Amino acid sequence: MRLSLKPQPFLRSTRVHEVCGPAAFAFAALCAGKQAFWIREAWLADIVLPQGMEAYGAPSGILLARPASQIDALAVAEEALKDGAAPFVILEITRPLDLREGRRLQLAAKAGGTTGLCIIPEGMGSNAAETRWRATPVFDPDREDSTLMRWESIKNKSGTLGVWYVRWDPQTHHLHVVPPVGLQPGSAGLPE
Amino acid sequence: MWFPRLASNRVLRGCPSEPPFALIRKEGNAERIYCLNDPAQSLGLHRGMSLADARALCPELRIEPARPDLDARFLGVLRRWAMRYCPWVGREGEDGLVLDVTGSTHLWGGEEAMLEDMRAAMARAGVALRLGLGATRGAAWARAHYGEGADLAQLPVAALRVDTETVTALQRLGLRTIGDLQGAARAPLARRFGPELLLRLDQAMGAVPEPVTPEAESPHYATRMTLPEPIGLVSDVMGVTERLLKPLCTKLLAQHMGARRLMLTLRRVDQASQQVELRLAAPMRDAARILPLFQRGVDTVEAGFGIDMLRLEAVQVEPLAVQQIGSADHGADRLNDLITRIGTRIGLENIQRFQPTDSHIPERSFLTVPATHSLPASGWQVPRPRPITLFPPEPIMAKGAEPPARFRWRRMAFTTGRATGPERIAPEWWREDPAWASGLRDYWKIDTREGRRLWLFYTPQKPGWYVQGEFA
């Protein structure tokens, strides 16, 4: 099964979503597509390597904002979501959001017609999030350059939860949903 | 107008005592005198003299390095001042001004009165001045340099603005004054010295016109408004800002420029002034787009008892060509506005883009440059898979050059499912980098059975294993 590059099929637009887990960066880079605003606090020492991102999408379309604190990061995210010039906004969260902050992001996304994605540490989800995903890489014994991942929807305000095994094809830029060994084939396919 | 001591006058202006003073400039290997003042000249020093000789003549000589750029600026200031006498003021060489005063002398009560006014003004300013008034530009130059009010025919040939070789040759021929030259036959002179000499002679006599080219004033991008009553509401300030922006943008449009940095100065009734700076992500001159960007800055202004003067200046401008309406890249404009708005909060340099650079070292294979001064880069060369996140190397317990079958990292146990590699990366020897002090690195991509795909490296010159990145 194939999915288009756009994040819309599984991330509802005009909403803010959350993702956690070791493959959260790949999930975010994959959703970012052509044009995105990536908000990362300046003190974070980890480097997001554009060459690594290249496999999942275009690093040239990424605008990186480095605010000094989470307060600034939230303000920048709200501004970017509300403006709508960049269709996708990625925000790295370092402390849990309260309901007010989460709700403000949702309203901003709704006003700007944009989609937001918060990369959260495990267990720091906000109640206001539309969906929450856990992305973990999975060992693939068959392929050497495999990007097999397990995407688990652990919160969904307007749909069902589920688990999908996906593999990203960097050559064709397509996301393949694969039925995992030992799982019923029925779970292949993403929510509408 | 000739300012024979322009450079030293510039430095010594306002200095009451006059010790021997000289500006020096390095020419070739020697330091030579570039400009000097009267006391120094009376001691026998002259222009072009080497500093060592000058020191021998006058041990207490004060020196300073010459700054021709500042001199040129000073001359520009004098040029602006000289426009009070007539509108046609041009530069004459590096230390002179030429004024076309035709028709404006009567405003000063005649030629003599005007010259007197110039002399008095320059004496007050402490700048040495020599004036020459003539019917032509050449005649005025000759009188300024070789004798004010002298008869042109009596002046030496050097007053014709010809080079020294020609002057020497003419003197050898016995032609010492301009009068002599006028009396001589033209054809042999033209054959001997070329057309230049006769052209200069004709220009001085008025046979060939030589216009004065006034310098164009460099445009000044600032507007101001003084209010009869102080204002204090944010909406009022924004309203005034809008009225200031419109003429400024019209001016920018006329000059094909766009503002990059704007400064709004608000003066309060109590004379305190506050400034709102706006740095734009791209050159802009659209008042309707710039105005909302000022909102955040104006909100922070403390109005006190009210603001009664506002001044808006485009501090930094960049050329911006006229664009066709409609077909313009609307998305890029919106994105630039967004960058500007966010930039007012976190600083424009904190909004970055990735740019590829030429380096094998993974941390240095890209740059993050401010988005305001770069375009989206293409051409990412990824010959081998690279991790998506990179962190400072974290050591793990393992031995040998082969990747470990089992290891612990961040308190998690991993079993190697597949190891891809090695990819050897050598440090850049031309760069001192403590992180690469351990020498060569053999990078392995380890697919663990637990799922996580890690980027490990082994340092053969200083055996050890490290985790540096994670693929997803």
Side-chain angles (χ1 to χ4, degrees):
Chain A
M1 175 166 178
R2 288 181 159 187
L3 284 173
S4 71
L5 184 64
K6 289 199 281 185
Q8 271 77 6
F10 55 98
L11 290 185
R12 202 167 158 205
S13 67
T14 71
R15 293 289 190 278
V16 177
H17 307 264
E18 287 180 346
V19 63
C20 63
F25 278 88
F27 186 95
L30 213 148
C31 296
K34 291 238 178 337
Q35 178 71 258
F37 220 92
W38 192 307
I39 301 155
R40 212 155 192 259
E41 284 170 48
W43 55 270
L44 290 169
D46 291 8
I47 299 170
V48 181
L49 201 64
Q51 279 91 344
M53 213 185 288
E54 218 268 341
Y56 296 98
S60 50
I62 302 256
L63 273 171
L64 196 67
R66 306 301 307 261
S69 65
Q70 177 140 330
I71 299 283
D72 276 349
L74 286 169
V76 169
E78 191 182 18
E79 189 82 54
L81 282 167
K82 211 187 277 175
D83 186 83
F88 202 80
V89 178
I90 300 166
L91 172 67
E92 281 182 52
I93 300 270
T94 48
R95 63 159 179 79
L97 299 185
D98 62 26
L99 190 58
R100 183 179 59 88
E101 291 162 337
R103 187 71 195 136
R104 273 183 73 159
L105 290 183
Q106 291 292 354
L107 291 173
K110 205 169 178 180
T114 48
T115 315
L117 180 69
C118 298
I119 299 177
I120 55 167
E122 194 84 31
M124 278 200 195
S126 146
N127 278 336
E130 177 73 15
T131 57
R132 188 174 308 133
W133 296 76
R134 181 179 293 125
T136 38
V138 176
F139 180 64
D140 188 348
D142 307 327
R143 294 166 61 112
E144 191 176 282
D145 55 345
S146 177
T147 52
L148 187 65
M149 282 179 276
R150 179 178 187 270
W151 288 0
E152 185 184 2
S153 165
I154 50 176
K155 177 194 169 159
N156 193 347
K157 272 193 171 176
S158 54
T160 50
L161 304 182
V163 176
W164 293 269
Y165 285 81
V166 296
R167 200 180 63 229
W168 173 252
D169 189 340
Q171 266 79 46
T172 55
H173 279 217
H174 273 292
L175 191 66
H176 300 271
V177 177
V178 291
V181 195
L183 245 86
Q184 278 75 33
S187 64
L190 290 170
E192 292 305 313
Chain B
M1 287 177 135
W2 179 39
F3 308 103
R5 305 228 184 284
L6 182 75
S8 57
N9 284 151
R10 174 182 65 75
V11 181
L12 289 180
R13 257 155 51 91
C15 176
S17 69
E18 288 229 330
F21 174 84
L23 290 169
I24 52 153
R25 182 171 167 177
K26 200 154 178 144
E27 281 171 24
N29 253 345
E31 286 183 313
R32 294 187 180 279
I33 292 181
Y34 172 72
C35 188
L36 69 175
N37 67 354
D38 283 327
Q41 186 141 30
S42 63
L43 288 170
L45 276 58
H46 59 86
R47 270 184 204 215
M49 189 184 227
S50 74
L51 179 62
D53 293 348
R55 272 273 159 79
L57 278 172
C58 173
E60 71 274 16
L61 182 69
R62 252 186 68 199
I63 54 164
E64 258 183 52
R67 292 286 304 275
D69 52 333
L70 292 184
D71 296 341
R73 210 159 75 189
F74 185 48
L75 189 64
V77 172
L78 290 171
R79 189 189 64 80
R80 262 180 81 91
W81 163 80
M83 284 180 64
R84 69 207 300 264
Y85 297 107
C86 70
W88 296 79
V89 185
R91 285 175 197 243
E92 175 73 64
E94 284 176 357
D95 54 359
L97 294 174
V98 52
L99 284 72
D100 188 353
V101 293
T102 314
S104 62
T105 47
H106 69 276
L107 300 171
W108 297 88
E111 292 175 356
E112 270 314 310
M114 188 173 82
L115 296 183
E116 212 42 59
D117 187 77
M118 288 177 184
R119 277 199 198 94
M122 282 294 101
R124 263 203 314 281
V127 178
L129 173 70
R130 300 266 289 273
L131 291 165
L133 188 71
T136 63
R137 189 172 170 177
W141 192 91
R143 290 204 178 105
H145 285 74
Y146 289 92
E148 295 176 26
D151 182 13
L152 208 55
Q154 303 295 320
L155 290 177
V157 281
L160 280 179
R161 294 177 284 172
V162 288
D163 52 37
T164 45
E165 282 175 32
T166 316
V167 171
T168 322
L170 282 170
Q171 281 175 347
R172 288 205 182 119
L173 292 177
L175 300 170
R176 293 186 186 282
T177 64
I178 297 177
D180 295 343
L181 202 60
Q182 268 180 300
R186 290 176 68 90
L189 279 178
R191 209 160 46 232
R192 172 77 171 76
F193 298 104
E196 174 79 358
L197 175 66
L198 291 175
L199 176 72
R200 289 299 188 196
L201 181 65
D202 289 344
Q203 279 176 344
M205 293 304 149
V208 173
E210 187 182 8
V212 172
T213 318
E215 239 175 74
E217 284 290 325
S218 61
H220 185 58
Y221 304 106
T223 48
R224 59 188 285 166
M225 187 176 283
T226 315
L227 307 168
E229 286 285 324
I231 55 170
L233 295 176
V234 170
S235 57
D236 292 346
V237 174
M238 289 302 282
V240 176
T241 311
E242 188 183 0
R243 282 168 69 176
L244 288 174
L245 257 176
K246 276 188 180 142
L248 184 71
C249 289
T250 316
K251 204 169 186 180
L252 287 167
L253 178 65
Q255 300 288 339
H256 289 207
M257 292 298 224
R260 193 79 198 221
R261 198 146 67 85
L262 289 158
M263 183 76 85
L264 179 67
T265 310
L266 305 113
R267 205 192 62 202
R268 299 201 315 218
V269 185
D270 55 3
Q271 299 295 313
S273 68
Q274 293 175 58
Q275 290 188 322
V276 177
E277 193 190 25
L278 179 68
R279 291 167 70 200
L280 299 166
M284 234 200 265
R285 54 165 176 253
D286 186 352
R289 274 174 62 203
I290 297 175
L291 186 66
L293 303 176
F294 265 114
Q295 185 74 51
R296 190 184 147 77
V298 169
D299 282 345
T300 62
V301 167
E302 189 61 53
F305 293 108
I307 294 159
D308 66 349
M309 198 276 280
L310 289 95
R311 180 166 187 273
L312 181 67
E313 185 183 3
V315 184
Q316 197 182 345
V317 291
E318 274 180 19
L320 176 63
V322 180
Q323 280 175 345
Q324 192 174 349
I325 301 169
S327 71
D329 197 352
H330 192 60
D333 280 355
R334 274 184 69 192
L335 198 62
N336 279 332
D337 286 4
L338 175 64
I339 291 172
T340 305
R341 262 205 312 285
I342 293 174
T344 55
R345 181 167 186 122
I346 63 169
L348 266 186
E349 63 283 350
N350 287 328
I351 302 169
Q352 301 160 341
R353 247 191 251 279
F354 294 116
Q355 294 272 350
T357 49
D358 235 359
S359 176
H360 293 298
I361 308 290
E363 307 89 295
R364 272 204 291 271
S365 58
F366 69 98
L367 286 175
T368 48
V369 290
T372 51
H373 289 90
S374 62
L375 291 170
S378 56
W380 289 93
Q381 296 288 325
V382 190
R384 288 171 164 279
R386 285 280 180 264
I388 196 162
T389 49
L390 213 60
F391 29 81
E394 295 167 13
I396 54 167
M397 294 286 284
K399 277 198 171 73
E402 289 302 308
R406 285 191 180 72
F407 59 94
R408 288 183 71 80
W409 172 65
R410 291 189 181 175
R411 298 185 171 192
M412 289 176 284
F414 291 101
T415 317
T416 303
R418 184 191 302 115
T420 321
E423 178 193 353
R424 175 161 288 190
I425 297 180
E428 293 174 336
W429 54 262
W430 56 91
R431 216 189 287 259
E432 201 71 45
D433 189 352
W436 281 73
S438 52
L440 296 174
R441 292 182 182 180
D442 286 340
Y443 278 96
W444 294 79
K445 182 191 176 199
I446 306 287
D447 296 6
T448 59
R449 295 230 168 251
E450 287 72 19
R452 298 182 81 157
R453 293 181 268 271
L454 300 171
W455 212 35
L456 270 65
F457 70 81
Y458 173 67
T459 47
Q461 290 170 335
K462 208 176 183 180
W465 280 90
Y466 301 86
V467 184
Q468 208 198 353
E470 181 165 10
F471 298 82

